[in-house]
Amino acid sequence: MRWKRLTGRTVAGLLTAGLISAGLLPVTASAAEATDLARGKTVTASGSHGLYPAANANDGRIDSYWESNGLPADLTVKLGADADLQSVVVKLNPDPIWARRTQDIQVLGRTQDGTTFSSLRARAGYVFNPATNQNTVTIPVDGRVADLQLKFFANTEAPGAQIAEIQVLGTAAPNPDLTVSALSWSPSSPSETDDITVEGTVRNTGSAASPATTVDVSLGGVVVGSAPVGPLAAGASAPVSVEAGRRPQGSYTVSALVDPTDTVVESDDTNNSRTTASPLVVGQSPGPDLEVRSISSDPASPAVGATVTFTVAVHNRGTSAVSAGTVTRLTVGSTTLNGTAPAIAAGATANVTLGGSWKATNGGATLTATADATNLVAETSETNNTFARSIVVGRGAAVPYTELEAEKADYRGTLLRSDAERTFGHTNFATESSGRASVRLNSTGEYVEFTSTAPANSIVVRNSIPDAPGGGGREATISLYADGAFVRKLDLSSKYSWLYGNTDSPEGLTNTPGGDARRLFDESHALLTETYPAGTKFRLQRDASDDAAFYIIDLIDLEQVAAPSSQPSGCVSITTYGAVANDGIDDTTAIQRAVTANQNGEIDCVWIPAGQWRQEQKILTDDPLDRGQWNQVGIRDVTIRGAGMWHSQLYTLTPPHEAGGINHPHEGNFGFDIDENTHISDIAIFGSGTIRGGDGNHEGGVALNGRFGKDTKISNVWIEHANVGVWAGRDFDNIQELWNPGDGVEFTGMRIRNTYADGINFANGTRNSTVYNSSFRNTGDDALAVWSSKYVKDQSVDIGHDNSFRNNTIQLPWRANGIAIYGGYDNRIENNLISDTMNYPGIMLATDHDPLPFSGQTLIANNGLYRTGGAFWNEDQEFGAITLFPQNLPIPGVTIRDTDIVDSTYDGIQFKTGGGLMPDVKIQNVRIDQSNHGSGILAMGGARGNATLTDVTVTDSRDGHVLIEPGSQFTISGTPNGARAKR
C-alpha cells in the first residue's frame, strides 16, 4: 500500500492513527500546531545498502525503506531553515513479516548558522514491534535546528540501520520569506526596436527581517538582468526594476527570482520565483531584416583536398524590400568568400553564389555566413545576420570548437610527460592527458596561456584538482585573463573524478581515498559575456585566491557559440507546464507533462528554452501496470527541441543511487527513456553520477536509454557525468510485448564527456543505425560499441547489423576501447580519429561478453589511430592499436584499409589468442609507424587464422614489422614495405 503523508494533524488525530506512542508526547496547544517539517525535504545518509537509498526514508511510502551499509550510520534531514522541534517519528513497515527489533538511536541537530551537530536526545534503544506500536516509534526532542540527524549504533535484526519513513514534527522558527509579485513590463506592447523594462515587487512575508539580496529577471528562461533588494522588515515590500534591453520578435515567458544564490535563509525557499500568466509579446518592427537560412556546398561531402564552392540562402524576414548589392560573406578556416545578393522582397529568399572556392582540409571546418556583411542596410535587427554549420571532410568530426593543448602553449609551471609505457591506474596525470602531456601549476602566479586561432565566446577547460581529504571532491577557482585583462573566475570541481583502487574491475573502484587513483581529470565550461577575436591570448592563472593545492591543465576548447535559437513555430514551452528556469527547483513534473502532451497529440513538439532546468526523475511513459521503480516504458512519437546545447541545459543534483523512485536503478534519475520515433536536439543533459558501480553498487545512470525503435534521431546533445551516455536496446525479458529494437536510429553532433562507462552502445539487436560527426572524450568503457547480445527475442533475426560509426573524434577513453564491435554482421567503422586510449585498443573486434557470432563483413576503413593500445588486467595483457580477440567464437570477414596507426603503446595490429578462428583478414593501404613496445603486426602464440597484406607500410617498430609468435597457427601473406617477417 502507498503511505499518505501527514501534514498539520492534531495530536488527537495522530493518536487515533496510532502514530504516537501513548505517553511519549504530551498533548499541548503548541503540539497541536506541529506539522511534519521533513515532508519533501532532502534526506542524506552516511551510506546505503544496495537498492535501499536514503530517499526511501522520505518518499511517502511505508513499503520502501532506507538501510545503511553498516553501523554506526547516520541519516540527516535538511529542513531548510531553523524550526522548533517537538518530536521525531521513525517508522518501519507495520506488516507482521517485519520481526520485532531494537535500534539504538541518538538524535542530533544543527542550526542554520551552525557548522557542527549537537545532541538533542542521548543514545537509547527503541523497540519496533508490529504487534504493539505498529512498528512506529516517537522520540520527544526539544531544540531549534535546521538539520536533524539520527545516528544509529545497533539493530538487533539487521547489520544496518532501517527506516521506512521519518517525520520531524515541530513549527517553523522566525525567519524571512521572500516572494515576488506584480510583475509587469513597459512598454506593454513592445517591438524589436523598443528597450524593455521589467518591474515587480519583492515582499518579505516571513516573521523576521531579511538582509539585502538581489532579484534576477528572465525572459524566455534566460536571465537578462538583476536588481538590488535592500533589507526588508517582516511584512515589508520594495519595488524593483530591471532593464531588459531590446528583444527579437517573439513570445517570452517573464519570470523573476529573488535571492537567486540562496544566501538568505528563509522559512520557505520554494516560493522565491514568479512567472507571469501571460507572455511578453515582442512585435516585429517595420523595415528590412536579412538573415542566413542555410549554406550549401558543392560537393556536399568533399574529400580531403577537394575544391569546394558554396551557395548561401539569404532571407528577408522584414516588412520592406532590400535593394540589390548587399554583400554575403562566408568564412571557412583562413578563407573568405564573397557574393553579391540580388534585390530581396519582404518575406522572400535569394540563393547567393559566392565567388572563389575552398580547399577541403582533413576533419572539416566551421562554415560561417553573414548577410549584409558590410552593413549597407539599416535593419530591424543587426544581431541575426550570421549562420554557422559544420562541414565534414576526411577523418574525425567537424567540431565547432578549436582544441588547444597546454603543453604546446606558453606556460609557467611544470611540464608533465607520461612514462614510456604510459602506465595507467597509478595516479599518473600525464598518461591520462591528451597527447600524454599536461602542465601543473603549483604556485601563485603560474599559468598556461593559449593563443586563439578563431573568434570565441566560450571556453572548456580539461583539468585536475585534488580530491577532498575524505573523498567526494572539492571546488576551486582558477583565474581567466584575455590579453592580460581579468575576465572572470572559472569554477573547477573534482567531484566527478578521482576513483581509487588497485583493481581493474570497475565495480571494485571506490570514491574513498586510499592507494592508487585513476580518472583524474574532469572539465569545466563557461559561456563568456563577449566574443574575443582570433589572436586573443587566453591565460589560465593561479592567483592568490585560487586555493587548490595544485592545478593540472590538459587542454582547452574555444568556441564561438551562437545566440540561443528562437522557439520554433508549433512548439510549446515547458514553462507553460510550470517549469521555471534557473530557480534550482525540480522541473521534472513540468517536463514530463509537456512530453506526455506531445505524445498524446495535444501539442506538436516540446520546447526547452534557454536556461538551467533541474531534472530529478527520468522522463518516460507512465506504466499502466504500475511496476513502480521497475517501470521500463519509454516515450514515443515525441519531438523535443532546445535553444542550443550551451543554452538549454538539464541537470540533476542527486546521485542516482540516492534518488529513490527512479524507473530502474541502473538507468538513473535524469534524461529520457525512449521507445520509438523520438527526436531530441540542441540540449545538454548533465548527470550527477560519481562512480561506475563500487561503494554499494552505486551507478551513475544513463542519459538516453530504452528500446529506441524506428525513426529515432538525436542531434546536437551534450551529455556529461553519466554512467553511460546512450544505451540503445533493452533485453527481451523487459516487458516482452514492447520488444522493439533500434532500427535506423541516428546520432549526429553528439558531445559526450566524462562518463564512467560507454559513450554510445548499440545493443540488443540494434541495426541500420549510425553515429556520425560526434565527439567523445574521457569515456569509461567503449566510446562507441555494437554489442550483438543474446538477450533478444529471436537470435536468428535480432542481430546487430549494418550499423555505422562515421566521422567521429574519440579521445582519452579511460578504461576500454575507442570503438568496439562484439558480434553481428556488416558493421562499419569509417573515417574516425581515435587518440590516447589508456589501456585498451583504439579499435577492437571481440567475442567476449558472449555475443551472437560475427558473420558477413566488418569494415574498418580510413581511420586514424594515435597513441592507442595499452596494458590492462593487472598489466598482464598488452593490447594493440587494432586488436582482434576471438574468444571461442570466430571473427570472419574483416577488412582493415586506408588507415594510419601511429605511436602505438604496444602493437599496431594484433591478432590475439582466444580459441576462435580469424580467417581471411584483408589489410590494405595501412601505415603503421612507431609501435613503441611491440610489433607493427603481431600474431600471438594461440592465434588461429590468416591475413593478407596489400600496400602495408610498417616503420620504427621495436619488435619488428611482422611478428608471429612460436606456436601460432596464424599465417600472414604479403610483406610490408621494406620489412620482413620475424619468428
Side-chain angles (χ1 to χ4, degrees):
M1 63 175 287
R2 182 175 293 274
W3 183 260
K4 298 185 182 295
R5 292 187 179 275
L6 306 176
T7 303
R9 286 198 181 207
T10 63
V11 170
L14 293 170
L15 284 169
T16 301
L19 298 179
I20 297 182
S21 301
L24 290 182
L25 185 63
V27 180
T28 65
S30 59
E33 299 168 1
T35 60
D36 178 12
L37 302 169
R39 181 179 185 180
K41 298 303 194 315
T42 299
V43 181
T44 61
S46 57
S48 301
H49 173 67
L51 303 178
Y52 309 103
N56 284 1
N58 196 32
D59 63 358
R61 297 174 61 119
I62 203 68
D63 57 350
S64 68
Y65 63 97
W66 164 69
E67 183 170 334
S68 70
N69 57 354
L71 292 168
D74 56 67
L75 185 86
T76 304
V77 182
K78 299 181 180 297
L79 304 179
D82 278 347
D84 295 320
L85 304 189
Q86 296 177 6
S87 64
V88 178
V89 180
V90 183
K91 305 177 184 179
L92 291 176
N93 193 327
D95 192 306
I97 196 172
W98 283 72
R100 180 184 186 276
R101 68 201 62 217
T102 300
Q103 298 192 75
D104 284 4
I105 306 172
Q106 180 186 12
V107 184
L108 304 97
R110 178 173 61 190
T111 64
Q112 62 194 32
D113 299 322
T115 57
T116 60
F117 283 91
S118 301
S119 181
L120 302 177
R121 175 70 65 171
R123 172 180 174 178
Y126 294 92
V127 176
F128 294 80
N129 190 334
T132 60
N133 63 6
Q134 297 185 19
N135 256 354
T136 296
V137 166
T138 298
I139 306 173
V141 294
D142 184 19
R144 176 172 291 181
V145 302
D147 296 328
L148 187 284
Q149 184 177 91
L150 300 185
K151 188 174 290 292
F152 293 79
F153 299 92
N155 184 348
T156 57
E157 293 296 320
Q162 295 169 314
I163 292 182
E165 282 294 297
I166 182 172
Q167 294 178 319
V168 179
L169 301 180
T171 57
N175 263 311
D177 186 15
L178 297 173
T179 63
V180 180
S181 61
L183 278 183
S184 63
W185 51 85
S186 61
S188 58
S189 299
S191 70
E192 294 170 297
T193 55
D194 290 325
D195 290 315
I196 301 169
T197 300
V198 178
E199 299 173 337
T201 300
V202 174
R203 181 180 301 277
N204 178 8
T205 62
S207 54
S210 65
T213 183
T214 59
V215 63
D216 283 352
V217 169
S218 298
L219 297 183
V222 179
V223 176
V224 296
S226 300
V229 179
L232 291 174
S237 61
V240 291
S241 178
V242 172
E243 300 296 329
R246 299 178 182 181
R247 299 287 128 182
Q249 179 187 13
S251 178
Y252 299 86
T253 56
V254 180
S255 59
L257 173 64
V258 66
D259 190 32
T261 58
D262 286 334
T263 56
V264 178
V265 178
E266 303 179 58
S267 57
D268 185 356
D269 274 324
T270 66
N271 61 353
N272 287 22
S273 65
R274 177 172 293 274
T275 300
T276 58
S278 300
L280 162 65
V281 178
V282 178
Q284 185 174 10
S285 293
D289 189 14
L290 296 177
E291 60 181 4
V292 175
R293 286 286 179 87
S294 65
I295 304 170
S296 302
S297 63
D298 184 16
S301 300
V304 176
T307 298
V308 187
T309 59
F310 300 95
T311 301
V312 176
V314 179
H315 176 73
N316 180 4
R317 65 172 290 273
T319 60
S320 58
V322 174
S323 301
T326 61
V327 174
T328 301
R329 178 169 294 159
L330 181 142
T331 59
V332 49
S334 59
T335 300
T336 300
L337 306 175
N338 293 314
T340 302
I344 307 175
T349 300
N351 291 319
V352 182
T353 300
L354 305 184
S357 61
W358 170 66
K359 187 175 182 179
T361 58
N362 184 53
T366 298
L367 308 175
T368 303
T370 304
D372 189 27
T374 58
N375 293 317
L376 289 179
V377 180
E379 301 179 62
T380 297
S381 173
E382 300 286 355
T383 64
N384 61 349
N385 288 21
T386 300
F387 173 84
R389 76 167 179 86
S390 297
I391 185 168
V392 183
V393 181
R395 296 171 179 163
V399 295
Y401 52 83
T402 301
E403 185 176 298
L404 301 174
E405 297 279 354
E407 69 271 16
K408 297 179 181 178
D410 294 328
Y411 61 86
R412 180 188 297 167
T414 303
L415 178 65
L416 306 179
R417 286 199 180 279
S418 63
D419 61 282
E421 294 190 352
R422 299 163 180 165
T423 307
F424 171 73
H426 301 284
T427 324
N428 190 322
F429 294 98
T431 291
E432 296 196 31
S433 298
S434 174
R436 311 292 185 172
S438 52
V439 175
R440 179 175 176 133
L441 310 180
N442 287 319
S443 304
T444 299
E446 292 188 333
Y447 63 84
V448 182
E449 188 171 81
F450 306 84
T451 301
S452 67
T453 59
N457 63 357
S458 70
I459 187 170
V460 174
V461 182
R462 188 169 194 263
N463 70 91
S464 181
I465 62 173
D467 195 2
R474 59 154 297 179
E475 281 69 46
T477 59
I478 195 165
S479 302
L480 174 65
Y481 292 81
D483 290 334
F486 177 76
V487 176
R488 57 169 290 173
K489 294 285 190 181
L490 297 178
D491 297 318
L492 312 183
S493 174
S494 55
K495 178 180 179 180
Y496 302 103
S497 48
W498 294 93
L499 295 180
Y500 302 89
N502 295 320
T503 177
D504 289 327
S505 170
E507 285 75 20
L509 300 175
T510 176
N511 290 136
T512 303
D516 290 331
R518 65 191 72 190
R519 201 184 188 281
L520 305 171
F521 285 86
D522 197 43
E523 298 180 13
S524 175
H525 60 269
L527 194 59
L528 308 178
T529 57
E530 62 181 280
T531 295
Y532 294 87
T536 299
K537 294 185 181 298
F538 287 100
R539 174 179 289 194
L540 296 172
Q541 180 168 292
R542 179 173 183 170
D543 288 346
S545 57
D546 303 324
D547 61 357
F550 61 80
Y551 297 80
I552 297 173
I553 307 299
D554 181 24
L555 58 82
I556 66 169
D557 296 333
L558 296 175
E559 180 178 354
Q560 181 62 31
V561 178
S565 300
S566 299
Q567 182 172 338
S569 175
C571 285
V572 177
S573 174
I574 58 174
T575 59
T576 303
Y577 295 87
V580 178
N582 311 313
D583 66 351
I585 298 173
D586 188 5
D587 296 302
T588 301
T589 299
I591 299 170
Q592 181 69 69
R593 289 175 59 208
V595 169
T596 300
N598 185 199
Q599 183 166 302
N600 292 340
E602 299 167 14
I603 61 176
D604 290 338
C605 77
V606 176
W607 171 244
I608 301 181
Q612 302 282 324
W613 310 91
R614 185 175 174 186
Q615 179 198 358
E616 296 291 0
Q617 294 290 300
K618 181 84 73 177
I619 302 301
L620 36 70
T621 296
D622 189 37
D623 182 4
L625 298 182
D626 193 20
R627 295 175 179 87
Q629 71 171 357
W630 302 97
N631 175 24
Q632 295 176 349
V633 184
I635 60 177
R636 58 175 56 229
D637 304 320
V638 168
T639 297
I640 300 166
R641 300 180 65 179
M645 63 169 64
W646 277 90
H647 301 295
S648 301
Q649 299 187 337
L650 307 177
Y651 72 97
T652 175
L653 296 179
T654 308
H657 63 271
E658 295 181 3
I662 57 181
N663 67 316
H664 189 292
H666 174 75
E667 293 165 356
N669 56 317
F670 59 97
F672 299 85
D673 193 321
I674 299 169
D675 266 5
E676 183 165 271
N677 188 29
T678 294
H679 297 186
I680 302 176
S681 60
D682 300 300
I683 65 171
I685 303 172
F686 295 147
S688 59
T690 61
I691 198 165
R692 163 72 179 267
D695 290 347
N697 199 31
H698 300 162
E699 294 191 64
V702 184
L704 300 174
N705 63 274
R707 298 170 182 84
F708 278 80
K710 293 184 178 180
D711 301 319
T712 291
K713 294 177 173 58
I714 313 295
S715 62
N716 304 323
V717 174
W718 184 348
I719 296 172
E720 197 156 352
H721 299 148
N723 195 43
V724 174
V726 178
W727 191 275
R730 285 200 187 278
D731 296 354
F732 174 58
D733 61 7
N734 288 346
I735 313 180
Q736 295 183 6
E737 62 270 23
L738 295 182
W739 171 251
N740 192 25
D743 191 347
V745 180
E746 296 179 8
F747 292 90
T748 60
M750 302 295 289
R751 189 177 301 189
I752 296 182
R753 302 284 188 267
N754 306 307
T755 64
Y756 298 90
D758 303 68
I760 298 178
N761 194 309
F762 287 164
N764 301 91
T766 300
R767 74 286 306 261
N768 304 310
S769 297
T770 303
V771 180
Y772 171 71
N773 195 32
S774 297
S775 65
F776 302 79
R777 193 157 62 208
N778 204 36
T779 57
D781 277 353
D782 309 318
L784 289 168
V786 172
W787 180 26
S788 190
S789 51
K790 292 182 177 179
Y791 313 123
V792 296
K793 181 177 182 180
D794 184 342
Q795 293 184 5
S796 66
V797 173
D798 299 317
I799 302 170
H801 67 85
D802 289 286
N803 298 299
S804 174
F805 299 139
R806 294 186 293 113
N807 285 101
N808 302 294
T809 296
I810 295 168
Q811 300 169 279
L812 297 153
W814 65 268
R815 186 179 177 274
N817 307 281
I819 301 178
I821 306 290
Y822 305 101
Y825 64 88
D826 293 347
N827 296 299
R828 302 177 302 283
I829 302 170
E830 302 175 276
N831 309 341
N832 303 285
L833 287 175
I834 306 171
S835 60
D836 298 308
T837 58
M838 297 297 105
N839 42 59
Y840 256 63
I843 297 174
M844 188 176 196
L845 309 182
T847 58
D848 56 346
H849 305 302
D850 193 27
L852 296 171
F854 279 91
S855 62
Q857 182 190 60
T858 302
L859 177 63
I860 302 172
N862 196 34
N863 300 287
L865 291 83
Y866 301 89
R867 300 174 300 278
T868 56
F872 207 51
W873 299 115
N874 198 35
E875 299 172 13
D876 291 331
Q877 294 192 40
E878 297 171 352
F879 292 98
I882 297 178
T883 295
L884 274 62
F885 178 30
Q887 188 182 52
N888 301 320
L889 291 174
I891 304 179
V894 176
T895 297
I896 304 170
R897 61 173 171 82
D898 307 322
T899 290
D900 292 304
I901 303 171
V902 179
D903 196 6
S904 304
T905 306
Y906 292 98
D907 309 297
I909 298 176
Q910 182 186 88
F911 299 100
K912 197 171 182 64
T913 298
L917 193 66
M918 295 169 280
D920 302 321
V921 179
K922 295 178 177 60
I923 304 176
Q924 305 164 346
N925 190 29
V926 172
R927 179 176 70 96
I928 303 173
D929 178 54
Q930 195 177 344
S931 298
N932 290 287
H933 305 283
S935 306
I937 300 174
L938 170 69
M940 297 180 69
R944 299 169 56 232
N946 65 288
T948 301
L949 311 184
T950 306
D951 294 328
V952 173
T953 300
V954 180
T955 55
D956 196 18
S957 295
R958 188 195 70 176
D959 295 341
H961 296 78
V962 176
L963 175 60
I964 301 175
E965 291 183 340
S968 177
Q969 299 179 50
F970 198 91
T971 61
I972 297 176
S973 59
T975 302
N977 295 336
R980 61 183 178 83
K982 287 183 61 177
R983 283 190 180 269

